[in-house]
Amino acid sequence: MKSQKLTKKGNLYFPTKKFQKKAWISDKKTYQKANKDPVKFWESLAKELVWVKTWQKGVEHRPPYFKWFLGGKLNITENCLDRHLPEKKDKIALIWEPEPTTERPKIYTYDELLRQVNKFANALLKSGVKRGDRVGIYLPMIPEITIAMLACARIGAVHSVVFSAFSSTALKIRLQDTKAKILITADGYYRRGKVINLKENADEGVKETEVKKVIVVKRAKNKINWKKDRDLWWQDLVKNESSQCKARTMDSEDTLFILYTSGSTGKPKGCVHTCGGYSVQANSTGKWIFDLHDKDIFWCTSDPGWITGHTYTIYSPLLNGVTTLVYEGVPDWPTSDRWAKIIEKYKVTIFYTAPTAIRMFEKYGKGVLKKHKFKTLRLLGSVGEPIDETAWLWYFKNVGKEKCPLVDTWWQTETGGILITSLPGVGPFRPAFTGLPFPGVKVDILDEKKRSLPVGRQGNLVILPPFAPGLLRGVYKNPKKYLDTYWSQYGKKIYFTSDAAIIDKNGLIRIVGRVDDVIKVAGHRITTGELEAAINSHPEITECAVVGIPDEIKGEVPVAFIVYKREKPAAEVKKEVVGQIRKEISPIAVPKEVYLVEDLPKTRSGKIMRRVLKKLFIGEELGDLSTLANPGIVEKIKKIIEK
């Protein structure tokens, strides 16, 4: 019997013939065809959706503004739900796994999910929500977050989801900006066995806003404050509502949702996404990049409070008529292999998670995985930040068993969907390299003078027109911010991503990190991502973060915070890390300090909060830490620095 492992040629991996045979896309000529006429290509993908009225014009570009599928009309929920019936009436649309292992999961068929969406849509209408109104959603990973988002879209309301781990201040800022009159929240939810009182945060967050009604899901049944003339139980609202609700016909360029980026400084940006372009991009990228087929069980671990959760936990799987899995808790609770147990329990076929989670799995060791065979997995994905080679190979070998294509993916809140990756039926896959631009997407790597850079030279990643249809149409109520952030660096016809990247001889792109994560050491530009990749390649290191700090002589110098396996003496590990950086990058890049820590401050989505580490070191006010999953680690790191 022939091996089903991916073929390796040099440092590249290629899909097996068996995988290619069933893949939606297995011919690399697809790229040439799409890039020859990107507008025609995106229009062909748009035809896969159900439109109430077909568009008259593919694209209109008036830099820096553009529109897609002009004159076209549709509703995303009809494409997520109605169009799959009656053929998929009893097919499972959504599996919800609660964190407590003693609690039963909830299963929704496509028919049941549509009924629940319609009931809540009717409840919103009776609560005074009209087309174009903004609705705040502040919910944990429970089924109601999916239902609420779809119900808003059903009636033409604009949903604005706020991550449930965000503070009341972060919630307030977003509610004030959108002028939402309704907030949907929950009494509480489970996190590492504890009940988090979400309603308490919501009560504080709605102060000084225009919110008139707060709809509350009864999840944890914890004690909460209740404002009689304002608060309403979700369960009471939907109890007597009809399960029929006609979807509102929306223009292609109508706003579908506003999602805020959580910048470390200043006011967050409300990215505006539209009904038509977003639907097309969410549908096609999910289908091609994750090779979604009817029998797939797709688990994207991202919370819908982030764009990854919007697109690949909710909209894309449902647009493609597959089963999506949502898990309430953290992947290592109550046991370190909870994530692996969930994969095997539900026979997950596609697993999409973040490098931070992958490194956490690796930290627990191979022993944890001995009893898990992952036989049902056929594709792996990575998202959220650049994945280093060590984590890539560990994930590929120990979870994918070298038989699953591993698609690393690059995109942003602003892009709405994945724009750079390797298609699983085509390849190639190279550890630490994201891949090729998605067909129909044109990118370049430029220097400061707008010159295209050759193979191996690091520069600024930009997107060229015609832009993918899911790209943001603006920053909500802030056109100046839109212009300054994305269209000032290289003019109004080139979208500036703020990411640094390099390209290899195969055309594969490696994302090095944010442009603002560049450290200038004695005039030399070094990205923190490059330093972190060098450190992470050390076998003793499970995770690290590098920040730049001011230096009187060199301008800036790097400082490294490292989580290690503790199999060697600390002094030896520090010495080897310094030696590795000297060898792999340059003596110039050697960190001023190397701190060995037990963990790094992270958000619940797994993003390492490097700004917190930087502020700790230079003694700045830390600000709001309520978005951290592990706030206790901050004080521990502070004590290590002070020593």
Side-chain angles (χ1 to χ4, degrees):
M1 185 177 173
K2 287 184 179 178
S3 170
Q4 292 305 314
K5 290 182 179 180
L6 269 67
T7 306
K8 188 182 181 189
K9 295 177 183 176
N11 56 5
L12 302 177
Y13 293 83
F14 293 86
T16 62
K17 287 183 178 178
K18 183 182 177 183
F19 189 96
Q20 285 184 308
K21 196 174 179 181
K22 293 182 180 179
W24 286 111
I25 305 297
S26 56
D27 186 353
K28 60 183 179 183
K29 288 180 182 175
T30 302
Y31 287 96
Q32 298 163 13
K33 188 178 176 183
N35 296 340
K36 191 176 179 182
D37 191 342
V39 176
K40 190 177 179 182
F41 166 75
W42 285 109
E43 286 188 279
S44 70
L45 293 181
K47 289 172 185 174
E48 293 184 8
L49 298 179
V50 173
W51 294 78
V52 177
K53 184 183 177 185
T54 308
W55 59 95
Q56 280 91 50
K57 187 179 180 183
V59 72
E60 179 182 276
H61 188 198
R62 295 178 181 175
Y65 303 100
F66 56 94
K67 296 177 180 179
W68 273 94
F69 313 116
L70 283 82
K73 297 185 185 298
L74 80 171
N75 186 291
I76 194 170
T77 68
E78 285 190 314
N79 283 282
C80 286
L81 301 169
D82 307 63
R83 74 167 170 147
H84 301 312
L85 305 178
E87 290 85 359
K88 295 185 178 183
K89 181 182 177 182
D90 298 321
K91 179 182 171 64
I92 296 172
L94 173 68
I95 298 168
W96 177 67
E97 171 80 354
E99 185 185 87
T101 53
T102 53
E103 194 176 340
R104 293 182 66 181
K106 288 183 180 177
I107 307 291
Y108 294 80
T109 63
Y110 270 89
D111 183 57
E112 176 61 17
L113 186 57
L114 176 59
R115 290 165 66 85
Q116 293 302 321
V117 167
N118 284 339
K119 282 187 165 197
F120 192 60
N122 285 326
L124 288 175
L125 288 169
K126 282 189 181 172
S127 299
V129 177
K130 300 181 183 69
R131 177 181 179 141
D133 285 352
R134 279 77 59 210
V135 175
I137 300 175
Y138 188 51
L139 285 170
M141 292 274 272
I142 56 177
E144 286 81 3
I145 194 167
T146 301
I147 294 165
M149 289 168 67
L150 291 168
C152 288
R154 187 88 176 165
I155 61 172
V158 177
H159 61 70
S160 184
V161 181
V162 181
F163 184 41
S164 60
F166 275 179
S167 67
S168 56
T169 304
L171 172 64
K172 181 178 292 186
I173 289 167
R174 288 153 176 79
L175 292 174
Q176 287 174 337
D177 199 48
T178 57
K179 288 186 164 51
K181 292 183 175 62
I182 284 190
L183 177 66
I184 305 161
T185 190
D187 52 2
Y189 60 94
Y190 292 91
R191 202 73 185 167
R192 295 195 178 277
K194 295 177 183 176
V195 173
I196 307 297
N197 188 332
L198 189 63
K199 177 65 161 52
E200 192 174 56
N201 266 6
D203 288 341
E204 194 60 37
V206 297
K207 290 177 181 177
E208 299 165 33
T209 72
E210 295 185 22
V211 171
K212 299 290 187 288
K213 292 178 182 176
V214 176
I215 299 171
V216 187
V217 179
K218 196 176 286 183
R219 163 66 190 120
K221 297 177 183 173
N222 51 303
K223 190 177 179 182
I224 58 172
N225 290 323
W226 195 260
K227 198 169 181 180
K228 197 175 178 183
D229 58 341
R230 183 197 68 188
D231 298 345
L232 305 154
W233 286 115
W234 172 299
Q235 286 82 346
D236 293 342
L237 272 179
V238 300
K239 190 161 56 176
N240 298 317
E241 286 298 341
S242 168
S243 60
Q244 302 293 315
C245 180
K246 185 171 170 55
R248 175 66 66 93
T249 298
M250 305 299 290
D251 186 84
S252 176
E253 283 295 312
D254 281 341
T255 301
L256 173 63
F257 65 86
I258 301 164
L259 185 61
Y260 286 80
T261 59
S262 52
S264 58
T265 58
K267 188 179 174 184
K269 302 184 293 289
C271 297
V272 176
H273 287 286
T274 57
C275 295
Y278 176 82
S279 298
V280 172
Q281 194 170 311
N283 180 67
S284 57
T285 54
K287 180 179 179 179
W288 286 20
I289 295 165
F290 299 109
D291 194 44
L292 295 176
H293 290 271
D294 191 54
K295 292 183 180 177
D296 277 316
I297 311 293
F298 184 66
W299 184 15
C300 168
T301 61
S302 178
D303 190 296
W306 306 97
I307 189 64
T308 303
H310 269 58
T311 307
Y312 300 108
T313 298
I314 297 177
Y315 283 118
S316 188
L318 297 177
L319 283 165
N320 282 282
V322 302
T323 302
T324 184
L325 188 148
V326 175
Y327 169 51
E328 179 183 34
V330 291
D332 61 341
W333 179 269
T335 57
S336 58
D337 64 343
R338 179 71 187 273
W339 61 278
K341 287 176 178 176
I342 291 171
I343 289 172
E344 303 218 316
K345 178 181 179 180
Y346 294 109
K347 297 180 170 54
V348 170
T349 57
I350 300 159
F351 184 50
Y352 189 36
T353 195
T356 304
I358 295 161
R359 289 191 289 266
M360 180 183 71
F361 304 155
E362 184 186 359
K363 185 171 72 174
Y364 287 123
K366 291 179 187 176
V368 173
L369 300 182
K370 279 183 180 175
K371 56 188 174 185
H372 301 291
K373 305 299 180 188
F374 302 120
K375 286 183 179 178
T376 59
L377 283 177
R378 63 180 197 87
L379 191 145
L380 300 176
S382 173
V383 64
E385 61 181 76
I387 183 169
D388 59 88
E389 186 171 355
T390 306
W392 195 101
L393 289 169
W394 186 90
Y395 190 32
F396 176 66
K397 290 174 181 176
N398 295 285
V399 182
K401 309 298 182 186
E402 298 182 53
K403 67 182 178 66
C404 296
L406 199 174
V407 293
D408 186 21
T409 58
W410 175 88
W411 55 304
Q412 303 174 315
T413 304
E414 292 89 342
T415 70
I418 297 161
L419 293 191
I420 300 175
T421 189
S422 290
L423 294 179
V426 180
F429 317 102
R430 181 179 174 185
F433 279 72
T434 305
L436 300 166
F438 188 76
V441 173
K442 293 184 178 182
V443 306
D444 203 351
I445 296 169
L446 305 179
D447 66 11
E448 300 296 332
K449 295 182 179 178
K450 208 175 175 179
R451 295 176 297 203
S452 291
L453 292 171
V455 167
R457 283 278 305 278
Q458 184 180 308
N460 296 329
L461 178 69
V462 299
I463 305 171
L464 307 175
F467 306 105
L471 191 67
L472 85 164
R473 297 300 192 266
V475 173
Y476 190 63
K477 294 199 302 188
N478 199 337
K480 186 178 184 299
K481 191 82 170 176
Y482 175 69
L483 288 167
D484 292 348
T485 307
Y486 310 108
W487 310 100
S488 61
Q489 184 85 0
Y490 294 109
K492 294 180 180 179
K493 292 183 180 178
I494 296 176
Y495 175 92
F496 179 47
T497 67
S498 295
D499 275 328
I502 58 172
I503 191 166
D504 74 0
K505 63 182 180 181
N506 305 293
L508 301 176
I509 292 168
R510 179 183 169 204
I511 308 298
V512 181
R514 299 292 289 173
V515 171
D516 52 12
D517 285 341
V518 171
I519 304 171
K520 289 187 179 179
V521 184
H524 300 274
R525 288 165 59 87
I526 302 163
T527 62
T528 56
E530 193 178 5
L531 281 162
E532 288 171 8
I535 295 169
N536 281 328
S537 63
H538 189 289
E540 268 290 304
I541 309 302
T542 55
E543 199 166 35
C544 75
V546 175
V547 297
I549 60 160
D551 183 86
E552 285 183 14
I553 298 168
K554 296 181 179 179
E556 265 189 307
V557 288
V559 169
F561 297 84
I562 292 170
V563 182
Y564 75 115
K565 295 175 183 175
R566 300 181 186 274
E567 291 170 5
K568 281 186 176 183
E572 193 176 332
V573 172
K574 283 187 179 185
K575 188 178 177 182
E576 288 177 3
V577 163
V578 168
Q580 194 148 315
I581 290 170
R582 282 180 179 275
K583 182 184 172 185
E584 291 194 24
I585 302 177
S586 164
I588 295 165
V590 169
K592 182 176 182 177
E593 299 286 351
V594 175
Y595 296 104
L596 301 179
V597 297
E598 63 182 69
D599 201 0
L600 299 166
K602 296 173 197 141
T603 65
R604 275 191 24 207
S605 68
K607 182 181 178 183
I608 298 169
M609 297 299 279
R610 291 168 181 82
R611 67 177 174 85
V612 172
L613 293 170
K614 187 168 184 171
K615 287 179 178 180
L616 269 176
F617 197 91
I618 61 181
E620 277 187 17
E621 185 68 35
L622 295 177
D624 181 22
L625 299 179
S626 64
T627 62
L628 295 182
N630 54 349
I633 197 65
V634 176
E635 193 58 36
K636 290 181 181 179
I637 294 173
K638 186 179 179 182
K639 286 177 181 175
I640 291 170
I641 293 170
E642 287 171 352
K643 276 184 183 178

